[in-house]
Amino acid sequence: MLVVGPHDLVTTSVVIALQANGFAAEEREINGGCAFPRVDRARGVVVVNLDLPEGVGLVAKAVTSGWPTLVVGQQADRARTAAAVAAGAAAYVPRSCPLDVLVRTVLHMSVGRPVMMAKERMAWLELHRVARAEVNTRRRRLDLLTDREFEVLRRLERGQKAADIAVDAVLAMSTVRTHIRSILVKLEVNSQQHAIAIYRETRRQGE
């Protein structure tokens, strides 16, 4: 068994719980450029902690290498869990659930039992489809921004005020304000905070 995630309490607790139940579990720090060993003989299971920024990508790599994959994620981040299921994860366990539930799920997976009902999987896939459609809509709106407007948005996202942007970019204050108004119109929002949120969420989900 491989447990992949940041070296934190969640990942360590999962390894200890699996070992206590007789599994040969080990923690792996696998970055985005590494590959999983292929499963040839004994049926193994990969547990991926979705707190990893590249967690969804690691799920896809594990599945491609033949590993049944269980994801552990935060209940509030449903879009990320849906992306992991779309990438081929066989099961999902909330990180807040008791460890014995996770251990039981791994046991079922290790002997080839189905652990996610078709109806549940379809619900996750539909959520992923909707999330991707929303991302694509926001990306199309972001693509309407000129290079200068996009740079202004990036500076706003970094916490700069309009006056600071004007000084750093050597622009008139009126020009910066014009760019900000144009950004709000193109993104179809009413505040800079909402524009920044769209930029951050689109970037995060794209990653």
Side-chain angles (χ1 to χ4, degrees):
M1 306 291 168
L2 299 180
V3 180
V4 184
H7 187 64
D8 60 8
L9 182 60
V10 174
T11 303
T12 302
S13 298
V14 169
V15 172
I16 292 173
L18 290 172
Q19 291 174 343
N21 283 270
F23 291 103
E26 60 179 286
E27 182 177 342
R28 287 283 184 91
E29 292 185 19
I30 301 180
N31 61 42
C34 293
F36 287 87
R38 287 201 167 271
V39 179
D40 294 322
R41 297 182 295 278
R43 187 177 180 86
V45 174
V46 167
V47 180
V48 176
N49 183 345
L50 287 180
D51 283 348
L52 278 173
E54 66 271 34
V56 175
L58 289 172
V59 170
K61 289 188 176 186
V63 171
T64 299
S65 297
W67 290 85
T69 305
L70 166 68
V71 292
V72 179
Q74 300 186 42
Q75 287 181 298
D77 200 350
R78 290 173 54 80
R80 190 168 175 80
T81 301
V85 173
Y92 156 70
V93 173
R95 60 179 294 173
S96 59
C97 80
L99 282 172
D100 63 325
V101 173
L102 184 145
V103 171
R104 187 164 59 249
T105 303
V106 170
L107 174 61
H108 289 169
M109 291 175 66
S110 68
V111 296
R113 294 179 187 171
V115 288
M116 182 183 288
M117 301 297 291
K119 185 176 180 179
E120 181 184 359
R121 180 171 294 280
M122 290 302 297
W124 282 117
L125 293 177
E126 175 61 16
L127 175 60
H128 180 63
R129 186 193 66 76
V130 171
R132 292 305 304 166
E134 291 174 354
V135 169
N136 290 336
T137 297
R138 290 195 293 266
R139 185 173 289 123
R140 282 194 296 271
R141 290 175 184 167
L142 285 168
D143 286 343
L144 295 175
L145 303 183
T146 65
D147 290 343
R148 181 67 80 177
E149 289 166 352
F150 192 73
E151 178 60 26
V152 169
L153 178 58
R154 288 177 61 189
R155 288 177 179 273
L156 291 172
E157 192 268 339
R158 292 199 296 266
Q160 284 192 288
K161 303 297 184 183
D164 299 325
I165 296 172
V167 172
D168 288 352
V170 194
L171 294 170
M173 187 65 179
S174 59
T175 301
V176 174
R177 287 175 175 157
T178 297
H179 286 324
I180 292 174
R181 284 195 297 272
S182 180
I183 290 168
L184 300 186
V185 169
K186 290 178 180 179
L187 296 186
E188 300 180 19
V189 295
N190 297 317
S191 70
Q192 294 179 34
Q193 290 75 20
H194 196 174
I196 291 168
I198 285 178
Y199 171 63
R200 286 176 175 169
E201 185 66 13
T202 304
R203 181 180 60 188
R204 187 186 71 82
Q205 291 191 331
E207 292 170 352

